[in-house]
Coordinates of all heavy atoms in Angstrom, one line a residue:
Q129 N 100.8 100.3 26.9 CA 101.2 101.5 27.7 C 102.6 101.5 28.0 O 103.2 100.5 28.4 CB 100.4 101.4 29.1 CG 100.8 102.6 30.0 CD 100.2 102.5 31.3 OE1 99.6 101.4 31.7 NE2 100.2 103.5 32.1
I130 N 103.3 102.6 27.6 CA 104.7 102.8 27.7 C 104.9 103.7 29.0 O 104.4 104.7 29.0 CB 105.4 103.5 26.5 CG1 105.1 102.7 25.3 CG2 106.8 103.7 26.8 CD1 105.7 101.3 25.2
I131 N 105.7 103.2 29.9 CA 106.0 104.0 31.1 C 107.2 104.8 30.7 O 108.3 104.4 30.4 CB 106.3 103.1 32.3 CG1 105.2 102.2 32.5 CG2 106.6 104.0 33.5 CD1 103.9 102.8 32.7
R132 N 107.1 106.2 30.7 CA 108.1 107.1 30.3 C 109.1 107.4 31.4 O 108.8 107.5 32.6 CB 107.5 108.4 29.8 CG 106.5 108.2 28.6 CD 105.9 109.5 28.2 NE 106.8 110.5 27.9 CZ 107.2 110.8 26.6 NH1 106.7 110.2 25.6 NH2 108.1 111.7 26.5
C133 N 110.4 107.4 31.0 CA 111.5 107.7 31.9 C 111.7 109.2 32.2 O 112.3 109.6 33.2 CB 112.8 107.2 31.3 SG 112.8 105.4 31.1
D134 N 111.0 110.0 31.3 CA 111.2 111.5 31.4 C 110.1 112.2 32.2 O 110.0 113.4 32.2 CB 111.4 112.1 30.1 CG 110.2 111.9 29.1 OD1 109.2 111.1 29.5 OD2 110.2 112.5 28.1
E135 N 109.2 111.4 32.8 CA 108.1 111.9 33.6 C 108.1 111.4 35.0 O 108.1 110.2 35.2 CB 106.7 111.7 32.9 CG 106.6 112.3 31.6 CD 105.3 111.8 30.9 OE1 104.5 111.0 31.5 OE2 105.1 112.3 29.8
A136 N 108.3 112.2 36.0 CA 108.3 111.8 37.4 C 106.9 111.7 37.9 O 106.2 112.7 38.0 CB 109.1 112.7 38.2
P137 N 106.4 110.4 38.2 CA 104.9 110.3 38.7 C 104.8 110.7 40.1 O 103.7 110.8 40.6 CB 104.7 108.8 38.4 CG 106.0 108.1 38.7 CD 107.0 109.2 38.1
W138 N 105.9 111.0 40.8 CA 105.8 111.2 42.3 C 107.0 111.9 42.7 O 108.1 111.7 42.3 CB 105.6 109.9 43.0 CG 105.6 109.9 44.5 CD1 104.5 110.0 45.3 CD2 106.7 109.7 45.3 NE1 104.8 109.9 46.6 CE2 106.2 109.8 46.7 CE3 108.0 109.5 45.2 CZ2 107.0 109.6 47.7 CZ3 108.9 109.4 46.3 CH2 108.4 109.5 47.5
R139 N 106.8 112.8 43.6 CA 108.0 113.6 44.2 C 107.7 113.8 45.7 O 106.6 114.0 46.1 CB 108.2 114.9 43.6 CG 108.7 114.9 42.2 CD 109.2 116.2 41.7 NE 109.5 116.2 40.2 CZ 110.6 115.8 39.7 NH1 111.6 115.5 40.6 NH2 110.8 115.8 38.5
F140 N 108.7 113.7 46.5 CA 108.7 114.0 47.9 C 109.9 114.8 48.3 O 111.0 114.4 47.9 CB 108.7 112.6 48.7 CG 108.6 112.9 50.2 CD1 107.5 113.4 50.9 CD2 109.7 112.6 51.0 CE1 107.5 113.6 52.3 CE2 109.7 112.8 52.4 CZ 108.6 113.3 53.0
L141 N 109.7 115.9 48.9 CA 110.7 116.9 49.2 C 111.5 117.3 47.9 O 112.7 117.5 48.0 CB 111.7 116.3 50.3 CG 111.1 116.0 51.6 CD1 112.1 115.4 52.6 CD2 110.4 117.2 52.2
G142 N 110.9 117.3 46.8 CA 111.4 117.7 45.5 C 112.1 116.6 44.8 O 112.6 116.9 43.6
L143 N 112.3 115.4 45.4 CA 113.0 114.3 44.7 C 112.0 113.3 44.2 O 111.0 112.9 44.9 CB 114.0 113.7 45.7 CG 115.2 114.5 46.1 CD1 116.0 113.6 47.1 CD2 115.9 114.9 45.0
S144 N 112.2 112.8 43.0 CA 111.4 111.8 42.5 C 112.0 110.4 43.0 O 113.0 110.4 43.8 CB 111.6 111.8 41.0 OG 112.8 111.5 40.6
F145 N 111.4 109.3 42.5 CA 111.9 108.0 42.8 C 113.4 107.9 42.4 O 114.2 107.4 43.2 CB 111.1 106.9 42.2 CG 109.6 106.7 42.7 CD1 108.6 106.8 41.8 CD2 109.4 106.4 44.0 CE1 107.3 106.7 42.2 CE2 108.1 106.2 44.4 CZ 107.1 106.3 43.5
A146 N 113.6 108.4 41.3 CA 115.1 108.3 40.8 C 116.0 109.2 41.7 O 117.1 108.7 41.9 CB 115.1 108.8 39.3
G147 N 115.5 110.3 42.1 CA 116.3 111.1 43.0 C 116.6 110.5 44.3 O 117.7 110.6 44.8
W148 N 115.6 109.9 44.8 CA 115.8 109.2 46.2 C 116.7 108.0 46.0 O 117.5 107.7 46.8 CB 114.4 108.8 46.7 CG 113.7 110.0 47.4 CD1 112.6 110.6 47.0 CD2 114.1 110.6 48.6 NE1 112.4 111.7 47.8 CE2 113.2 111.7 48.8 CE3 115.2 110.4 49.5 CZ2 113.4 112.6 49.9 CZ3 115.3 111.3 50.6 CH2 114.4 112.3 50.8
S149 N 116.5 107.3 44.8 CA 117.4 106.2 44.6 C 118.9 106.7 44.5 O 119.8 106.1 45.0 CB 117.0 105.5 43.3 OG 117.9 104.4 43.0
A150 N 119.1 107.8 43.8 CA 120.5 108.4 43.8 C 121.0 108.7 45.2 O 122.1 108.4 45.5 CB 120.4 109.6 42.8
A151 N 120.1 109.4 46.0 CA 120.6 109.8 47.3 C 120.9 108.5 48.2 O 121.9 108.5 48.9 CB 119.5 110.7 47.9
I152 N 120.0 107.6 48.2 CA 120.2 106.5 49.1 C 121.3 105.6 48.5 O 122.1 105.1 49.4 CB 118.8 105.6 49.1 CG1 117.7 106.4 49.8 CG2 119.1 104.3 49.8 CD1 116.3 105.8 49.7
S153 N 121.5 105.5 47.2 CA 122.7 104.8 46.7 C 123.9 105.4 47.0 O 124.8 104.7 47.4 CB 122.5 104.7 45.1 OG 121.5 103.9 44.8
A154 N 124.0 106.8 47.0 CA 125.2 107.5 47.5 C 125.6 107.2 48.9 O 126.7 106.9 49.3 CB 125.1 108.9 47.2
L155 N 124.5 107.2 49.7 CA 124.6 106.9 51.2 C 125.2 105.5 51.3 O 126.2 105.3 52.1 CB 123.4 107.2 51.9 CG 123.4 106.6 53.4 CD1 124.2 107.5 54.2 CD2 121.9 106.4 53.8
L156 N 124.6 104.6 50.7 CA 125.0 103.2 50.8 C 126.4 102.9 50.3 O 127.1 102.1 50.8 CB 123.9 102.2 50.2 CG 122.5 102.2 50.9 CD1 121.6 101.4 50.2 CD2 122.7 101.8 52.3
A157 N 126.7 103.6 49.2 CA 128.1 103.5 48.7 C 129.1 104.0 49.7 O 130.1 103.3 49.9 CB 128.2 104.3 47.4
G158 N 128.8 105.0 50.4 CA 129.7 105.6 51.4 C 129.7 104.6 52.6 O 130.9 104.4 53.1
V159 N 128.7 104.1 53.1 CA 128.7 103.1 54.2 C 129.5 101.9 53.9 O 130.3 101.4 54.6 CB 127.3 102.8 54.7 CG1 127.2 101.6 55.6 CG2 126.5 104.0 55.2
A160 N 129.2 101.4 52.6 CA 130.0 100.1 52.2 C 131.4 100.4 52.1 O 132.3 99.7 52.5 CB 129.4 99.6 50.9
A161 N 131.8 101.6 51.5 CA 133.2 101.9 51.4 C 133.9 102.1 52.7 O 135.0 101.7 52.9 CB 133.3 103.2 50.6
W162 N 133.2 102.8 53.6 CA 133.6 103.0 55.1 C 133.9 101.5 55.6 O 134.9 101.3 56.2 CB 132.6 103.7 55.9 CG 133.0 103.8 57.3 CD1 133.9 104.6 57.9 CD2 132.4 103.0 58.4 NE1 134.0 104.3 59.3 CE2 133.1 103.3 59.6 CE3 131.4 102.0 58.4 CZ2 132.7 102.8 60.8 CZ3 131.0 101.4 59.6 CH2 131.6 101.9 60.8
G163 N 133.0 100.6 55.5 CA 133.1 99.3 56.1 C 134.3 98.5 55.4 O 135.0 97.8 56.1
A164 N 134.5 98.7 54.1 CA 135.5 98.0 53.4 C 136.8 98.5 53.8 O 137.9 97.9 53.7 CB 135.3 98.2 51.9
S165 N 137.0 99.9 54.2 CA 138.2 100.5 54.5 C 138.7 100.0 55.9 O 139.9 100.3 56.2 CB 138.1 101.9 54.5 OG 137.4 102.4 55.6
K166 N 138.0 99.4 56.7 CA 138.4 99.0 58.0 C 139.2 97.6 57.9 O 138.7 96.6 57.5 CB 137.2 98.7 58.9 CG 136.4 100.0 59.1 CD 137.2 101.2 59.6 CE 136.5 102.4 59.5 NZ 137.4 103.5 59.6
Q167 N 140.5 97.7 58.3 CA 141.4 96.6 58.2 C 141.6 96.0 59.6 O 141.5 96.7 60.6 CB 142.6 97.0 57.5 CG 142.4 97.5 56.1 CD 143.8 97.8 55.5 OE1 144.8 97.5 55.9 NE2 143.7 98.6 54.4

Side-chain angles (χ1 to χ4, degrees):
Q129 180 185 11
I130 304 294
I131 308 303
R132 298 177 58 98
C133 299
D134 61 352
E135 297 174 0
W138 175 90
R139 290 190 189 276
F140 178 69
L141 299 177
L143 293 179
S144 65
F145 290 123
W148 282 107
S149 178
I152 294 167
S153 292
L155 170 74
L156 292 175
V159 171
W162 172 78
S165 70
K166 301 304 168 193
Q167 298 182 18

